[in-house]
Amino acid sequence: MLQSIRDNSKGIIAKIIVGLIAITFALFGVESLIGLGSKEKPAAEVNGEDIARIDLMRGVDLQRRQLLMQMGPDADPTLLDDALLERRVLENLIEQALLIQSAERQGLFLSEEMLDQYIVSTPDFQVNGRFDRNQFELVLRNAGFTPLMYRELLRKETLTDQERAAYLLSSFTTQDEVERIVRLDQQTRDVAWVRIPLLDVLNDTQVAESEIQALYDQRASSLQTPEQVVLEYVLLDRNDFVDPSLVSDDEVRGIYEQMLMDFVSEEERAVSHILIEVDGQRDALAALAKAQELYLELQEGADFAELARNYSDDPGSASQGGVLGYLGREALVDAFADALFQMEQEGDVSEPVQTEFGYHLIRLDGVRKGERPSFEEAAYDLRLEIAEREAEMRYVEQMERLADLSFSSADLIVPAEELDLVIERSEPISRDGGSDFLGRNSRVLEAAFSQDLLRDRLNSLPIELDRERAVVVRVREHLPSRQITFDEARDELELELITARATEKLEQQVSEWLSALQAGETLDHLQWSEVAGADRADSRVPSEIRQRFFGLSADSTPRYDLMALRDGSFALLRLDAVEHAQTALSDEEMALMMSLLGATLGQQEYQNRVDSLRSQATIKRN
């Protein structure tokens, strides 16, 4: 046969085939042959330009790494929603493509020499102040980049930053605009309002059965139950393998001896403090002034405990004379700990120390060294520590067995019997989730509505719910979407009709009251809530009402208005007076405000530019 093939390969047909292959290589490259039958669809197309799926995957992986780093060493990867990550990264790639296209249309350019300069001047790539190739490659490798990938990413980001910088650096505000904004920001208003609850009208509103039926008939085709599944599942819990009674005394003794070898005595200090808090009623300067006043009183012989009871803003210690007890350095914020552990004599009191909570006066009450625990004191914790470590190993082993048994079984009976687990059943779960722990897990939802489980009725692979639990699920019952019956929808439709009718009735009533007030009448039955000198952050006025008050024109007072509240109620508003603060800015403050407002305006203009590019683009998401 081989000889026959060899002989035939010399014919005219073979030469034609070889010629076609050569032409294809020359015109389109080797990818044209490899990908003829398997070309992957791009993740999206932006004005005819593809966003490769591999770029999307890289972006998702990079985003996941960054989030896990921010979450710290105990980060749980299962808490990340992969679908949400993918959508977010795809939208960022689409926006980047639009901005790159915009930059290229405007002739913006970045040379290879400029890229080189950016890279060699990046501190993360330097050792002793000089660019280091090994450090460069190490940092990129840890981030999942090759040098070429990073270079292309840097090119795109720097190119788009040119257009963004043009908007930010060219925007400005005038001194008159700053002064007007400051006056508006510092403005106060005397306000009053009356809230008219919807509930009072709801209780007196009724609708006929025929009206409910008519609304149901009108909406019947759109009243559908969501598609749902009822799941069977087995749950593997690491905590079930924690059994301190299985740990021998010899194991505990060995760990205890090792602990003694590593033991370092940690100093603890008894401390009392007086806290002067910085809040909405007292700014930092006022808090510092009060703390300094108390410090001088202490220097003159005042009783620390008495001052703490009378002036400290720490509710937990004030009643105890400011006593916090013995604490280690790690239990305290840095500035507090530094001041406390620098003191040398018991009874020493610090000058005011600032932390995020305010200003503290700190007194050293005592010093003690931590003592090595006896075997009896440490045994329980050590036994539990060993049991948890062994449970982790056992949990991993059982997880592997669960994966094998679930894959090879037609149901959950065998995995449950082999691993001594209980087969449980979930409540109905839709694609949007459910109220139990399975319905709130995105990976469980993805598996539950997959073709493997929904159509083929297979067991899922083990799904990690968190660091200590994994579950295997299978579909026990599939509940397709169906039309909701009248009896099922009746109560909700009745409430909708009653709410709409009551809202209409209430709005008509308060509109009549508003007209009467505007005509100069006095409505004695209205109980006004009044606040004088309210500013834009005044908590005495509900936020949505406060926002409306500061949106009202102050041409004349009193001014009346009507607004619908988020809970369906209405509010009558009365603006009584407007006070304009006369705030004079220093040259430095004016320059800072002009810079900040100019940058804010530029950012808004740039975002408008991005939104415009999106609205005009042809975007196809696959």
Side-chain angles (χ1 to χ4, degrees):
M1 178 181 291
L2 292 175
Q3 184 60 44
S4 175
I5 293 174
R6 189 178 297 112
D7 293 339
N8 290 331
S9 68
K10 299 177 182 179
I12 186 64
I13 295 177
K15 293 178 180 178
I16 292 174
I17 292 174
V18 172
L20 289 174
I21 292 175
I23 293 173
T24 304
F25 267 95
L27 293 178
F28 305 107
V30 67
E31 293 86 354
S32 63
L33 292 180
I34 296 174
L36 279 175
S38 61
K39 181 173 174 58
E40 186 176 36
K41 292 181 66 175
E45 299 172 35
V46 181
N47 293 328
E49 181 179 306
D50 291 349
I51 294 178
R53 191 158 294 277
I54 186 65
D55 291 335
L56 175 61
M57 293 170 60
R58 287 170 179 160
V60 169
D61 183 61
L62 180 61
Q63 184 77 48
R64 183 186 293 107
R65 291 188 188 190
Q66 291 174 343
L67 289 173
L68 291 175
M69 288 178 62
Q70 293 172 10
M71 293 164 67
D74 296 326
D76 183 359
T78 63
L79 297 178
L80 300 180
D81 187 333
D82 288 341
L84 179 61
L85 276 180
E86 184 171 319
R87 288 196 298 272
R88 181 183 300 172
V89 171
L90 181 58
E91 291 306 311
N92 288 340
L93 289 174
I94 288 173
E95 182 170 304
Q96 184 186 64
L98 289 170
L99 294 173
I100 289 292
Q101 293 170 3
S102 173
E104 291 175 344
R105 284 196 302 270
Q106 296 175 73
L108 300 181
F109 176 72
L110 187 70
S111 68
E112 295 300 313
E113 291 76 10
M114 292 177 68
L115 277 177
D116 291 338
Q117 186 60 40
Y118 277 126
I119 291 173
V120 298
S121 61
T122 301
D124 288 342
F125 303 149
Q126 295 177 353
V127 174
N128 297 326
R130 297 179 61 84
F131 175 76
D132 184 274
R133 181 74 185 184
N134 293 330
Q135 175 71 6
F136 170 64
E137 294 178 350
L138 175 63
V139 171
L140 294 189
R141 188 161 55 250
N142 290 337
F145 286 103
T146 66
L148 287 178
M149 288 167 55
Y150 176 75
R151 194 176 184 86
E152 178 62 14
L153 177 64
L154 180 61
R155 185 190 74 81
K156 290 180 177 179
E157 289 187 347
T158 308
L159 196 61
T160 56
D161 279 347
Q162 291 181 17
E163 184 173 1
R164 180 172 180 270
Y167 278 88
L168 297 183
L169 297 177
S170 62
S171 295
F172 64 91
T173 55
T174 65
Q175 184 170 325
D176 288 343
E177 288 175 322
V178 171
E179 291 174 347
R180 181 172 59 86
I181 290 172
V182 171
R183 282 198 304 271
L184 288 173
D185 182 66
Q186 299 298 320
Q187 184 186 94
T188 61
R189 298 189 170 203
D190 296 344
V191 299
W193 70 96
V194 179
R195 184 176 176 275
I196 302 97
L198 179 64
L199 186 61
D200 295 346
V201 185
L202 277 175
N203 294 333
D204 299 328
T205 305
Q206 296 181 346
V207 294
E209 192 72 14
S210 59
E211 294 177 280
I212 304 174
Q213 182 67 57
L215 182 59
Y216 174 79
D217 293 341
Q218 177 185 343
R219 299 223 190 127
S221 60
S222 62
L223 295 174
Q224 302 285 326
T225 63
E227 179 188 15
Q228 295 178 309
V229 292
V230 176
L231 301 177
E232 284 185 335
Y233 65 94
V234 290
L235 180 67
L236 194 68
D237 192 330
R238 186 188 70 86
N239 293 320
D240 292 338
F241 300 106
V242 179
D243 188 353
S245 64
L246 298 179
V247 180
S248 69
D249 290 341
D250 290 341
E251 291 179 280
V252 178
R253 177 66 68 176
I255 295 295
Y256 175 72
E257 296 296 338
Q258 182 63 47
M259 183 188 75
L260 293 184
M261 294 174 60
D262 299 335
F263 181 80
V264 176
S265 178
E266 180 181 336
E267 182 179 284
E268 292 182 327
R269 295 197 165 200
V271 58
S272 300
H273 83 137
I274 299 172
L275 169 64
I276 306 301
E277 192 174 32
V278 175
D279 55 24
Q281 306 301 318
R282 183 195 291 127
D283 61 19
L285 287 177
L288 175 58
K290 184 62 179 177
Q292 289 174 331
E293 176 187 335
L294 296 177
Y295 178 73
L296 290 177
E297 290 187 31
L298 290 170
Q299 297 302 304
E300 294 172 357
D303 183 69
F304 190 98
E306 188 65 25
L307 291 182
R309 278 190 285 267
N310 292 333
Y311 298 106
S312 179
D313 292 322
D314 179 7
S317 67
S319 61
Q320 307 300 319
V323 174
L324 295 174
Y326 278 95
L327 297 171
R329 175 179 283 273
E330 75 284 350
L332 302 167
V333 296
D334 289 345
F336 193 109
D338 291 343
L340 175 62
F341 281 82
Q342 286 172 5
M343 296 183 188
E344 297 179 355
Q345 301 294 327
E346 291 185 17
D348 284 352
V349 177
S350 72
E351 294 186 1
V353 175
Q354 185 178 15
T355 72
E356 60 189 283
F357 306 105
Y359 285 89
H360 306 258
L361 298 174
I362 303 168
R363 186 182 69 185
L364 175 62
D365 296 334
V367 179
R368 72 182 182 189
K369 293 286 187 179
E371 297 181 0
R372 298 194 304 179
S374 67
F375 178 75
E376 290 73 19
E377 292 172 333
Y380 176 81
D381 290 337
L382 295 177
R383 193 180 301 275
L384 182 59
E385 179 184 332
I386 297 169
E388 288 182 341
R389 187 166 62 241
E390 293 178 349
E392 181 68 30
M393 297 171 58
R394 178 69 172 154
Y395 176 67
V396 173
E397 293 172 358
Q398 295 296 79
M399 176 89 80
E400 294 176 354
R401 287 195 65 201
L402 179 59
D404 293 339
L405 292 169
S406 301
F407 180 78
S408 60
S409 302
D411 51 39
L412 294 177
I413 295 176
V414 173
E417 290 179 346
E418 289 288 327
L419 301 178
D420 195 24
L421 302 174
V422 178
I423 300 176
E424 301 187 66
R425 187 181 304 179
S426 76
E427 63 176 20
I429 297 172
S430 72
R431 292 180 183 270
D432 293 329
S435 60
D436 65 8
F437 71 98
L438 292 181
R440 294 192 296 269
N441 188 284
S442 61
R443 295 189 176 187
V444 171
L445 294 177
E446 182 180 355
F449 288 93
S450 66
Q451 291 300 312
D452 286 346
L453 271 67
L454 201 59
R455 182 188 62 192
D456 301 334
R457 298 301 174 97
L458 302 177
N459 297 330
S460 74
L461 294 173
I463 302 168
E464 291 189 73
L465 301 176
D466 49 44
R467 297 176 66 88
E468 298 181 343
R469 297 181 303 162
V471 68
V472 170
V473 302
R474 64 177 288 107
V475 174
R476 177 181 177 84
E477 186 178 0
H478 179 213
L479 306 173
S481 177
R482 62 170 177 82
Q483 183 173 315
I484 298 174
T485 66
F486 175 76
D487 289 340
E488 292 172 327
R490 184 196 175 285
D491 290 346
E492 186 174 338
L493 295 176
E494 181 184 27
L495 179 60
E496 180 181 338
L497 286 169
I498 289 176
T499 301
R501 184 162 300 175
T503 301
E504 182 181 355
K505 186 189 303 183
L506 183 60
E507 184 173 14
Q508 181 179 352
Q509 178 63 73
V510 295
S511 295
E512 292 173 1
W513 292 344
L514 175 64
S515 298
L517 291 168
Q518 291 172 336
E521 297 183 28
T522 301
L523 303 181
D524 294 333
H525 66 281
L526 296 178
Q527 301 295 316
W528 294 92
S529 300
E530 299 181 342
V531 172
D535 60 30
R536 295 177 183 272
D538 200 319
S539 60
R540 295 174 295 173
V541 186
S543 59
E544 57 181 325
I545 294 177
R546 183 174 69 242
Q547 184 176 3
R548 182 63 168 263
F549 268 126
F550 279 90
L552 293 178
S553 171
D555 294 340
S556 61
T557 55
R559 172 159 187 179
Y560 294 95
D561 195 19
L562 171 65
M563 69 176 296
L565 302 178
R566 286 190 291 266
D567 64 357
S569 301
F570 285 85
L572 283 168
L573 312 181
R574 189 184 77 220
L575 176 60
D576 291 330
V578 177
E579 296 292 335
H580 297 281
Q582 300 300 321
T583 303
L585 298 179
S586 66
D587 292 342
E588 293 79 6
E589 291 172 331
M590 177 61 71
L592 177 61
M593 287 294 295
M594 291 177 67
S595 174
L596 291 175
L597 291 174
T600 301
L601 178 61
Q603 183 61 47
Q604 183 59 54
E605 291 175 345
Y606 178 71
Q607 187 57 51
N608 292 340
R609 167 66 174 169
V610 174
D611 294 341
S612 175
L613 290 174
R614 275 187 178 271
S615 65
Q616 298 173 18
T618 301
I619 301 173
K620 180 182 177 183
R621 299 170 179 82
N622 297 321

